[in-house]
Amino acid sequence: MKKILITGAAGFIGSHVARLFVNKYPDTHIFNLDKLTYAGNLENLKDIEHNPNYTFIKGDIVDGDFILELFKEYQFDGVIHLAAESHVDRSIENPMEFIMTNIVGTVNLLNAARHIWDGDFEGKRFYHVSTDEVYGSLGNEGFFYEDTAYDPHSPYSASKASSDHLVRAYHDTYGFPMIISNCSNNYGPNQFPEKLVPLFINNICHNKPLPVYGKGENVRDWLYVIDHAHAIDVIFHQGANGETFNIGGHNEWKNIDLIKVLIKVVDKKLGREPGSSEKLITYVTDRAGHDLRYAIDSTKLQETLGWKPSLQFEEGIELTVDWYLKNQEWLDNVTSGDYQKYYDEMYGDR
Ligand code: NAD
Ligand code: DAU
C-alpha cells in the first residue's frame, strides 16, 4: 500500500485534502501529522477517523529527531506538506512561531524525506503547499504568474517564501522530487474564525462589530477550499517534479464588497432585513504592511492539467454560510478558551 504523509491535515485546507484522498484512494494509506495548535481540530475529520486507510499522528514538525524517526518507521512514499502557522496578523504579533514552523519545520521534513529516500526518488514526491502572498502586492492591474519574482511583506509571507526557496534548493542541489503550488485566498467550511470570512459570519450572527482594516479597499482572489483540494490532487498525481503551479479562482473582490455580500446572505438566512447588519461595519486601524491586491493567473494549471474551479462564488458563499450556521457547536468549541484572549488582544483597543 502506498503511504502518503499529509502534514497539518487537522487544519482548514488539510482536512479537506485528507478527506478527498482517504475517500478517493482506498489503496493509499493517509497519515495525518499535526501538532493540533489552536488551528488544528480533529473534529474536522470525524467522518473519516475510523477509515482503515487513515491514521492520525500527533507531533511537531519543528522536532527534527521526532520527524526523522517517524519517516524511518513509516517509510512514506509521498508527502503533502500543509502544516504551517497561517495567519498574517498573528505573524505580525509573534514572528518567531512562523520562522520555526514554516521554515525550520519544512527543512526537517525535507531532510527526513531525503534521508529515507536516499537518492532513489523513483515514485517519490514532496508536495509543498504555498501561498500567493510570496509574490507580494499588485497594483490595480496584472496577475501573479509562476515566474513572478518573490516580494513578501509580512513575517508570514516571508516565512512561506523562505520555505519555497528551500524546497526548490533541495531539487536543484540534490535532485529532490518536489513540486510546489501557490494558491490564493481560500474560503469554505472548517476555517478558523480569525480569518475574514468565518470571523465576519460569526460576528454578524452575534451582532458584533465587523472590524474592516483601513478603508476595506484591499483585493483578494477567493477560491472555494474543496476546489483547492482538487487542484492539489491533480498536481500531486499529474504534475512533473520541479514544477510550480499557481492556483486561483479568477474571482477578485474588494474586501468591503465581499463583506456586503456576506452580510446580505447571512441576514437573509437569519430572517433579518438583508443588508441591515451593515450597521455593524467598523473601520479600524489598517494591518501593518497590508498588501493591496492579490490576483492569480492559473492558466498553466488549467491548460496543462485540466483543473478548473467547480463553483461559482455565489454558490460557494451560500454553502459556506450554511455550513457555519449549521455548525454553531463547532464555532462555539473553537471560539472558547484562548480564542477570546486572542480576540481581545487583536481587536479590543481598535
Ligand atoms: P490552518 O492554520 O487552518 O492549519 C494549519 C495546520 O497545521 C493546523 O492543523 C495546525 O495544528 C498544524 N500545525 C501548525 N504548526 C504545526 C507544527 N509545528 N507541527 C505540526 N502541525 C502544525 O492553515 P490553512 O489555512 O489550512 O493552510 C494550510 C496551508 O496552506 C498552509 O501552508 C498555508 O500557508 C497554505 N495556504 C493557505 C491559504 C488560505 O487561504 N488559508 C491559501 C494558500 C495557501
Ligand atoms: O492569499 C493566501 C493567504 O490568504 C493565505 O496564505 C493565508 O494563510 C490566509 O490567511 C489568507 O491571508 P489574508 O491575510 O489575505 O486573509 P485574512 O482572512 O486574514 O484577510 C483577508 C483580507 O481581509 C485582508 O485584506 C485583511 C482583511 N481583514 C482581515 C481580518 C481578519 C479585515 O479587514 N478585517 C479582519 O478582521
Side-chain angles (χ1 to χ4, degrees), residues 8 10-14 34-37 39-40 59-62 82-84 86 101 129-131 156 160 183-186 195:
F12 169 46
I13 301 170
D34 200 297
K35 183 181 170 184
L36 299 183
T37 66
D60 187 346
I61 59 171
V62 175
L82 294 110
S86 68
T101 289
V129 176
S130 192
T131 167
Y156 164 67
K160 291 296 289 187
C183 188
S184 61
N185 285 61
N186 285 214
K195 309 278 167 63

Side-chain angles (χ1 to χ4, degrees), residues 33 215 237 245 327 345:
L33 169 65
K215 294 183 175 150
H237 289 101
F245 290 91
N327 288 275
E345 278 170 13

Side-chain angles (χ1 to χ4, degrees), residues 202-214:
N202 198 29
N203 283 13
I204 298 165
C205 289
H206 293 96
N207 277 309
K208 283 174 71 175
L210 305 175
V212 180
Y213 296 165

Side-chain angles (χ1 to χ4, degrees), residues 73-265:
E73 183 179 347
Y74 290 104
Q75 298 286 319
F76 305 115
D77 302 291
V79 177
I80 304 178
H81 174 37
L82 294 110
E85 287 293 334
S86 68
H87 191 38
V88 174
D89 293 327
R90 286 186 192 252
S91 83
I92 295 167
E93 297 303 311
N94 182 11
M96 208 54 206
E97 290 269 348
F98 288 69
I99 306 309
M100 296 311 292
T101 289
N102 299 0
I103 306 178
V104 176
T106 300
V107 176
N108 284 335
L109 293 165
L110 291 171
N111 285 340
R114 197 177 150 234
H115 181 88
I116 61 154
W117 294 340
D118 195 22
D120 178 8
F121 298 139
E122 187 57 39
K124 306 293 192 289
R125 170 147 291 175
F126 187 100
Y127 185 147
H128 180 59
V129 176
S130 192
T131 167
D132 62 355
E133 299 202 10
V134 298
Y135 298 124
S137 182
L138 292 163
N140 293 329
E141 305 273 303
F143 295 94
F144 296 135
Y145 301 94
E146 282 80 1
D147 59 359
T148 298
Y150 277 28
D151 183 22
H153 296 130
S154 71
Y156 164 67
S157 54
S159 68
K160 291 296 289 187
S162 175
S163 63
D164 291 12
H165 288 317
L166 284 156
V167 172
R168 289 199 183 94
Y170 273 56
H171 174 263
D172 296 349
T173 308
Y174 309 114
F176 188 76
M178 52 61 72
I179 198 157
I180 295 184
S181 60
N182 297 84
C183 188
S184 61
N185 285 61
N186 285 214
Y187 69 98
N190 305 95
Q191 187 169 32
F192 193 79
E194 63 188 350
K195 309 278 167 63
L196 181 76
V197 169
L199 174 70
F200 277 43
I201 294 174
N202 198 29
N203 283 13
I204 298 165
C205 289
H206 293 96
N207 277 309
K208 283 174 71 175
L210 305 175
V212 180
Y213 296 165
K215 294 183 175 150
E217 283 177 353
N218 304 67
V219 175
R220 297 293 183 265
D221 176 359
W222 293 92
L223 180 70
Y224 193 60
V225 63
I226 294 173
D227 280 328
H228 187 188
H230 283 288
I232 289 175
D233 177 23
V234 169
I235 294 168
F236 184 79
H237 289 101
Q238 295 170 40
N241 283 338
E243 290 283 339
T244 295
F245 290 91
N246 278 355
I247 312 173
H250 269 295
N251 178 41
E252 290 180 50
W253 285 83
K254 226 179 236 185
N255 289 342
I256 192 65
D257 296 336
L258 171 70
I259 289 161
K260 287 182 179 168
V261 170
L262 274 180
I263 289 171
K264 269 207 188 86
V265 175

